[in-house]
């Protein structure tokens, strides 16, 4: 595995990507980002005040000279809603990159693969760099790549569960079958050992919703 991970022409020396939620304070979040060495953090567009910048937000604690912001469409339940949220992030100057989430089930937060594919196709045509959060379904992952996804982010366990990697066999199948796009383990990962297991499986990166540095 090369030391540098390249996604859509952008290079990352760290393969650990980190979230911006669930921290006790925004200052602690910033310290965790620095300690983790991450070069990309996810940011839920719907949970950040983008209209009134006089109010403090996570954006005030992210050093954008060192860290790339990956907006996400968390809490979107339709392709239309996810596309609208991605456009809002771009218009607000966050990025034309998007971690695309189209949720299909309110309890488990499992993705709606049909809606995800639809939204991916629309956003790719509009010039977005799309990194879809998806199930560990090989067939759907291939469809997303065919639709233009820059990377695919299969779940390890339900979002926010912290259960760690529960689907090793399926993740192995995905890794062995897909070589044409980066694969980043997402959702349910919460510890350093989980991140290490993802890398041992051959994944290109791993997303921790809360930094292991906390």
């Amino acid at each position: 595995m090369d030391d540098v991970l390249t996604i859509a022409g952008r290079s990352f020396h760290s393969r650990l990507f980190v979230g911006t939620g669930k921290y006790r304070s925004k200052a602690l979040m910033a310290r965790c980002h620095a300690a983790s060495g991450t070069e990309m953090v996810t940011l839920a567009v719907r949970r950040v005040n983008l209209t009134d910048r006089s109010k403090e937000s996570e954006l005030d604690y992210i050093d954008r000279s060192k860290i790339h912001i990956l907006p996400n469409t968390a809490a979107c339940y339709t392709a239309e809603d996810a596309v609208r949220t991605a456009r809002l992030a771009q218009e607000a100057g966050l990025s034309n990159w998007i971690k695309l989430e189209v949720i299909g089930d309110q309890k488990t937060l499992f993705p709606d693969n049909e809606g995800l594919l639809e939204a991916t196709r629309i956003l790719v045509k509009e010039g977005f760099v799309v990194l879809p959060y998806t199930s560990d379904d090989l067939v759907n992952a291939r469809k997303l790549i065919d639709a233009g996804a820059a990377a695919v982010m299969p779940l390890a366990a339900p979002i926010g569960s912290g259960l760690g990697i529960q689907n090793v066999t399926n993740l192995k199948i995905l890794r062995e079958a897909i070589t044409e796009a980066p694969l980043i383990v997402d959702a349910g990962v919460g510890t350093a050992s989980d991140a290490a297991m993802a890398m041992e499986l051959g994944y290109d990166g791993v997303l921790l919703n809360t930094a292991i540095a906390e």
Side-chain angles (χ1 to χ4, degrees):
M1 183 182 291
D2 295 335
D3 290 338
V4 176
L5 170 62
T6 301
I7 303 174
R10 189 181 185 102
S11 296
F12 299 92
H13 293 86
S14 173
R15 292 169 180 266
L16 176 64
F17 307 126
V18 180
T20 50
K22 302 182 180 179
Y23 294 91
R24 291 190 295 273
S25 70
K26 295 179 179 63
L28 176 61
M29 177 197 76
R31 293 199 298 272
C32 287
H33 288 171
S36 71
T38 189
E39 296 173 80
M40 182 161 69
V41 300
T42 62
L43 183 71
V45 178
R46 289 188 153 197
R47 295 169 188 153
V48 176
N49 189 334
L50 298 176
T51 56
D52 186 357
R53 292 307 307 277
S54 65
K55 295 182 179 179
E56 185 180 77
S57 77
E58 286 82 359
L59 291 170
D60 299 311
Y61 290 83
I62 299 172
D63 183 352
R64 298 183 71 173
S65 68
K66 297 178 180 178
I67 296 176
H68 181 63
I69 293 178
L70 178 64
N72 73 52
T73 60
C76 291
Y77 286 83
T78 67
E80 181 182 9
D81 204 9
V83 168
R84 184 186 307 114
T85 302
R87 290 169 178 163
L88 174 62
Q90 185 181 47
E91 290 168 4
L94 294 183
S95 181
N96 71 325
W97 287 47
I98 196 76
K99 182 194 171 193
L100 184 61
E101 298 183 24
V102 181
I103 303 302
D105 180 73
Q106 192 169 14
K107 182 177 181 180
T108 63
L109 302 181
F110 285 154
D112 174 352
N113 286 336
E114 183 178 355
L116 186 66
L117 184 57
E118 178 186 350
T120 297
R121 286 172 175 154
I122 292 170
L123 291 172
V124 167
K125 286 181 181 178
E126 294 183 7
F128 282 85
V129 176
V130 181
L131 288 75
Y133 154 73
T134 182
S135 62
D136 54 7
D137 183 328
L138 172 60
V139 175
N140 194 65
R142 281 180 168 154
K143 289 180 178 179
L144 290 167
I145 293 168
D146 289 343
V152 176
M153 304 181 73
L155 58 83
I159 290 177
S161 67
L163 291 172
I165 296 176
Q166 298 293 304
N167 49 352
V168 172
T169 299
N170 283 1
L171 290 180
K172 280 183 177 179
I173 290 171
L174 274 171
R175 178 67 286 175
E176 291 169 1
I178 293 178
T179 58
E180 62 269 38
L183 294 176
I184 300 169
V185 172
D186 181 25
V189 178
T191 67
S193 59
D194 295 334
M197 182 182 293
M199 302 308 289
E200 288 170 0
L201 289 171
Y203 274 72
D204 300 290
V206 60
L207 173 64
L208 288 167
N209 286 325
T210 300
I212 57 175
E214 184 172 4

